[in-house]
Amino acid sequence: MTHANPSHAWATKNISSDVPPGKRELALQIQQLCRHLTGESDTKKGILEPTQAQAAKRLGISETSLSRFLSGNSVPALELLERIHVSACTDANGGPPASITLADLGELRERANADHCDSCVNLRAELEKLRAQMGARVADAHTGGVAESMTQQRALVEQLSHRLQAVEAERDHLEAQRDHLKQRCDRSKTERDRLREENARLSILVTESARHAGLESGPAVTATSEPSPLPVPRQQGDRQRSIADERAARNIAIKADALQASGRQGSTVSLMHHAVRTLSHAEVAALLCLLRHQQESELADNLIHIYGRDQSHQDVVRVALELHERGAPDDAGALLSVRAAM
């Protein structure tokens, strides 16, 4: 006889005291069988100490479902119970793990299901009662008692047997559906976690893009953190401010172009939103003009829509004025039109 691998610590689950005896006994036998599993698939059996996830993959079920079977919180379908037994026997070089047969497992499963299936319990009790009545009547007939017709009794017993089989089949079907839904739920949770990680990664990317552009502090802080421009009259132009505006716009445009080229549309939109929140009025106007110059019409249109929708009326008017002074009256009008439609 082979011995279970003591390293399968995950197979030993604490079974709650409120788990009924039948389910508890079945769970203990499943734990014993799972200690013999040595791989994650029929073609990959070189894993002598598989994790619970690898063992679940070996059995074709979710890790959550396997954990519930091991802890007695759920009863596996008969087909799955056979798969567990066959896999354990195969990985144990054909030996019967824990000296338990497939028939023994079937009986344990019936007792486990009887713990929580009231219909099965009632039908079994009624069936046993009728069988006892039949036996008593047959004995009476043999000892000279009144011989009543046994055909009706046999028909009733057979009818109850069919009802019991139908209830058990329906229960197995529902349990299989439940396991399927649990696996889908596990996959949904995995996908949700993946999306959360992707969202966090994109947030970091946007923050780094803003930091490289010198925009992390927002418009008000940016204005105070930069050296104060020289007191040149506005109509003559402000060269220091113009250079800073162009630099910030160029950095954002480069990042947006790179994200657009890599097909990460969601990241590009996030970057546009960040630009709207952090760029000054002159920088927004410079960015729009630069995008038009680079023939990035879609990005420019998106920026106009986002700014006109999310910013205040005063901010929109000031950016429109900057655009007009930069020779972009069409974009200035488009921005004002978006705001007017809000």
Side-chain angles (χ1 to χ4, degrees):
M1 180 186 302
T2 58
H3 296 282
N5 193 331
S7 63
H8 292 56
W10 53 265
T12 302
K13 301 289 185 186
N14 291 326
I15 301 177
S16 176
S17 59
D18 59 355
V19 173
K23 298 176 74 174
R24 175 183 296 273
E25 188 175 358
L26 178 61
L28 290 174
Q29 291 298 340
I30 293 175
Q31 290 184 14
Q32 183 67 17
L33 289 170
C34 285
R35 293 190 187 100
H36 292 268
L37 299 177
T38 60
E40 64 176 24
S41 67
D42 288 338
T43 58
K44 191 174 182 182
K45 299 177 183 176
I47 305 174
L48 297 179
E49 300 179 8
T51 63
Q52 180 173 296
Q54 290 170 328
K57 186 176 181 180
R58 171 91 167 94
L59 299 172
I61 59 177
S62 70
E63 185 177 357
T64 301
S65 295
L66 178 58
S67 181
R68 290 179 61 82
F69 297 148
L70 292 169
S71 59
N73 292 323
S74 183
V75 177
L78 185 59
E79 179 184 357
L80 177 57
L81 200 57
E82 292 177 356
R83 192 186 313 154
I84 294 174
H85 187 269
V86 170
S87 298
C89 287
T90 301
D91 291 356
N93 297 321
S99 299
I100 185 170
T101 66
L102 193 54
D104 295 332
L105 285 176
E107 293 179 2
L108 285 175
R109 182 176 178 277
E110 289 187 4
R111 290 204 295 271
N113 281 323
D115 284 334
H116 68 281
C117 183
D118 294 337
S119 297
C120 294
V121 173
N122 294 334
L123 286 174
R124 288 181 188 278
E126 190 175 351
L127 184 59
E128 292 299 325
K129 181 179 179 181
L130 285 173
R131 284 175 176 169
Q133 290 177 354
M134 284 185 61
R137 294 192 179 191
V138 169
D140 289 343
H142 287 167
T143 57
V146 179
E148 298 180 7
S149 174
M150 305 299 295
T151 304
Q152 186 177 1
Q153 292 286 340
R154 290 194 182 95
L156 185 56
V157 169
E158 185 176 354
Q159 181 182 2
L160 286 173
S161 297
H162 287 319
R163 284 176 57 192
L164 179 61
Q165 292 175 3
V167 169
E168 291 180 337
E170 178 66 14
R171 180 196 61 211
D172 292 344
H173 175 68
L174 291 175
E175 287 180 348
Q177 284 187 326
R178 179 198 61 200
D179 291 340
H180 177 68
L181 290 174
K182 285 179 180 177
Q183 292 181 31
R184 288 181 58 186
C185 181
D186 292 342
R187 288 195 293 269
S188 297
K189 289 179 179 178
T190 301
E191 179 65 12
R192 180 198 62 192
D193 293 341
R194 187 190 68 79
L195 290 175
R196 283 179 175 174
E197 292 177 0
E198 177 67 10
N199 184 58
R201 188 181 65 80
L202 291 176
S203 297
I204 293 173
L205 177 62
V206 170
T207 301
E208 290 178 348
S209 299
R211 185 180 297 114
H212 289 316
L215 304 173
E216 189 174 21
S217 302
V221 178
T222 300
T224 58
S225 61
E226 294 176 354
S228 299
L230 297 176
V232 179
R234 184 169 179 80
Q235 62 269 21
Q236 296 180 14
D238 188 338
R239 182 171 180 80
Q240 276 189 312
R241 181 165 293 163
S242 176
I243 292 175
D245 296 343
E246 297 296 337
R247 184 187 304 115
R250 185 168 56 254
N251 287 335
I252 292 293
I254 291 173
K255 294 294 182 182
D257 186 60
L259 292 173
Q260 191 88 338
S262 63
R264 293 155 65 181
Q265 187 65 28
S267 300
T268 306
V269 174
S270 296
L271 184 60
M272 291 293 103
H273 278 283
H274 188 80
V276 166
R277 293 193 304 268
T278 57
L279 292 177
S280 67
H281 304 110
E283 289 166 344
V284 172
L287 177 58
L288 270 170
C289 293
L290 181 59
L291 291 174
R292 292 297 186 196
H293 178 72
Q294 295 177 347
Q295 297 183 350
E296 296 285 356
S297 299
E298 182 179 357
L299 287 176
D301 292 340
N302 286 340
L303 181 57
I304 288 175
H305 181 75
I306 292 171
Y307 198 93
R309 181 193 62 190
D310 295 347
Q311 300 305 105
S312 67
H313 179 75
Q314 182 179 5
D315 288 333
V316 170
V317 170
R318 292 184 65 179
V319 171
L321 179 60
E322 292 282 352
L323 287 169
H324 185 77
E325 292 180 353
R326 288 173 176 270
D330 292 341
D331 283 337
L335 183 60
L336 292 172
S337 297
V338 170
R339 184 61 195 176
M342 291 295 103

